[in-house]
C-alpha cells in the first residue's frame, strides 16, 4: 500500500510500505479517505519539531471508512465512517486519572511521535474512533480534529454568547475558533498581519478584523464605542508580545487562553492579571471533544468547508507542501484526498 513519508527534513514522498494489518483485537482497520495538513505536519517537514523521529508518516487530521474490525470491537462496524482522535495517553498518570488525557505525562500524538494517518490503511483502537454520518463529505469528516482544538480552547475559556472574543491569528486554527465562537453567538474580533487572511476571516463571519501591523487592539477598542473591552481572548499565534498586548484590553473577570508553543519568555504585567482577576489558561489538543464537534457538524451549527482553501490528491503531496511553503497567504486548510486508487 501507499503512504506519505517524511524521510528526513525537507524530504517528503509517496512510497510503498507493507500493507497495514489490524494491530489488536480492539482495533479497527480504516481505509483513509481524506486528511488535513496542519502546522505540526509542516514542522515535521521543516525539521523544527523536537518530538519527531524520522522517517515518519505524518497526519493527525484524518477520516476514513472502516473495512475490518477486531474481535473485541463493540460499537464500530465495517462500513462506518470515522474520524480519529490522534492523542495516545497512558491512562495512569495524574492528568489521565484526572480525566485530562490530552496533557498526559507520556503523551503521544499520531503523525508526530508515532506514524500518523497519511497512508492508505491505518489500524486504530476503537476508542479513538468517532462515527460520523455517512452523508458528511470526507473532506469535512477529516476536519473534526482541528475543530476539537477550537472547541477545547473555547471551553477552557468558558465561552458564552455575551462574550466579546478576541482571536490573535487568522490562520486555520484561528478560523476554526472563529467559526465555533460564532456558533455560540459571541461577537468576534480577529487580528493578523495578512490582509488576505483577514478578508477570509471577514467572509466567514468575523464581526471585526484588525491588521496588527497598523492598529493595536487598544487603539481598535478606543475607536469602537460599542466595544468596552475583551472578555475572552485566544492567542493562536504564540508570539510572547501578544499576551502582553492583550492584557490591558481585557475587562475584569476576562479569560485569556494560550495555544502557542514557543519557548520565548513574555513580559506580562502581573498587576493586569491580579487587579482584574483574569484567568490565563493553556489549551492543548482536546479532551472529550470529538463527539461534541461531530454533533455540531451533523447539526450544521458551523460549516468546516469554509476553512478549506485547496484540495490535492495525496499523490501530489509535494505540490501541496510547496504551496504552503511558498504562498502561505493564499492557504488556509489544505486537504489531501486519498480516494484515488493508485
Ligand atoms: Zn492539526
Ligand atoms: Zn497519562
Amino acid at each position: 500500500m501507499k503512504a506519505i513519508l517524511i524521510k528526513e527534513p525537507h524530504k517528503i514522498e509517496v512510497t510503498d510500505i507493507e500493507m497495514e494489518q489490524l494491530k489488536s483485537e480492539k482495533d479497527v482497520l480504516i481505509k483513509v479517505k481524506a486528511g488535513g495538513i496542519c502546522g505540526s505536519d509542516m514542522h515535521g517537514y521543516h525539521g523544527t519539531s523536537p518530538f519527531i523521529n524520522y522517517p515518519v508518516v505524518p497526519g493527525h487530521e484524518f477520516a476514513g471508512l472502516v473495512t475490518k474490525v477486531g474481535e473485541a470491537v463493540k460499537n464500530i462496524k465495517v462500513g462506518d465512517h470515522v474520524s480519529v482522535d490522534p492523542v495516545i495517553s497512558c491512562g495512569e498518570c495524574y492528568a489521565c486519572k484526572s480525566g485530562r488525557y490530552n496533557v498526559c505525562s507520556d503523551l503521544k500524538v499520531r503523525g508526530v511521535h508515532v506514524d500518523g494517518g497519511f497512508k492508505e490503511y491505518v489500524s486504530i483502537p476503537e476508542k479513538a474512533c468517532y462515527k460520523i454520518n455517512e452523508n458528511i463529505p470526507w473532506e469535512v469528516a477529516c476536519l473534526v480534529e482541528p475543530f476539537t482544538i477550537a472547541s477545547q480552547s473555547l471551553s477552557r475559556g468558558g465561552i458564552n454568547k455575551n462574550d466579546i472574543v478576541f482571536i490573535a491569528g487568522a490562520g486555520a486554527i484561528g478560523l476554526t475558533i472563529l467559526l465555533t465562537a460564532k456558533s455560540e453567538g459571541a461577537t468576534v474580533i480577529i487580528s493578523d498581519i495578512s490582509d488576505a487572511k483577514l478578508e477570509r476571516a471577514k467572509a466567514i463571519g468575523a464581526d471585526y478584523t484588525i491588521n496588527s501591523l497598523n492598529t493595536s487592539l487598544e487603539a481598535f477598542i478606543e475607536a469602537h464605542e460599542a466595544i468596552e473591552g475583551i472578555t475572552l481572548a485566544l492567542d493562536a499565534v504564540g508570539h510572547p508580545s501578544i499576551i502582553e498586548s492583550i492584557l490591558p484590553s481585557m475587562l475584569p473577570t476576562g479569560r485569556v487562553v494560550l495555544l502557542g508553543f514557543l519557548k520565548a519568555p513574555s513580559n506580562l504585567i502581573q498587576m493586569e492579571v491580579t487587579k482584574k482577576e483574569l484567568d490565563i489558561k493553556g489549551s492543548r489538543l482536546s479532551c472529550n471533544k470529538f463527539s461534541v464537534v461531530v454533533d455540531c457538524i451533523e447539526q450544521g451549527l458551523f460549516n468546516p468547508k469554509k476553512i478549506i482553501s485547496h484540495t490535492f490528491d495525496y499523490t501530489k503531496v509535494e505540490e501541496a507542501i510547496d504551496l504552503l511553503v511558498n504562498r502561505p497567504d493564499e492557504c488556509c486548510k489544505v486537504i489531501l484526498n486519498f480516494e484515488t486508487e493508485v
Side-chain angles (χ1 to χ4, degrees), residues 86-90 101 104 106-110 112-114 285:
V87 170
I88 303 170
S89 54
C90 76
Y101 60 87
C104 171
D106 191 26
L107 180 78
K108 292 187 178 63
V109 180
R110 291 179 201 282
V112 181
H113 307 81
V114 299
L285 299 159

Side-chain angles (χ1 to χ4, degrees), residues 38 60-61 145:
C38 180
H60 62 269
E61 303 173 1
E145 196 276 342

Side-chain angles (χ1 to χ4, degrees), residues 122-140:
V122 61
S123 177
I124 302 282
E126 174 187 24
K127 68 175 173 66
C129 297
Y130 292 82
K131 281 194 257 187
I132 185 162
N133 196 303
E134 61 185 31
N135 57 31
I136 303 294
W138 290 117
E139 60 180 5
V140 170

Side-chain angles (χ1 to χ4, degrees), residues 40 55 64 143 207 331:
S40 54
L143 293 181
D207 297 288
C331 301

Side-chain angles (χ1 to χ4, degrees), residues 88-97 100-107:
I88 303 170
S89 54
C90 76
E92 300 293 329
C93 71
Y94 175 74
C96 283
K97 284 187 171 152
R100 291 171 63 180
Y101 60 87
N102 58 316
V103 284
C104 171
S105 323
D106 191 26
L107 180 78

Side-chain angles (χ1 to χ4, degrees), residues 183-196:
S183 77
E184 298 278 351
T187 300
V188 179
I189 305 159
I190 190 163
S191 76
D192 205 281
I193 55 172
S194 155
D195 282 326

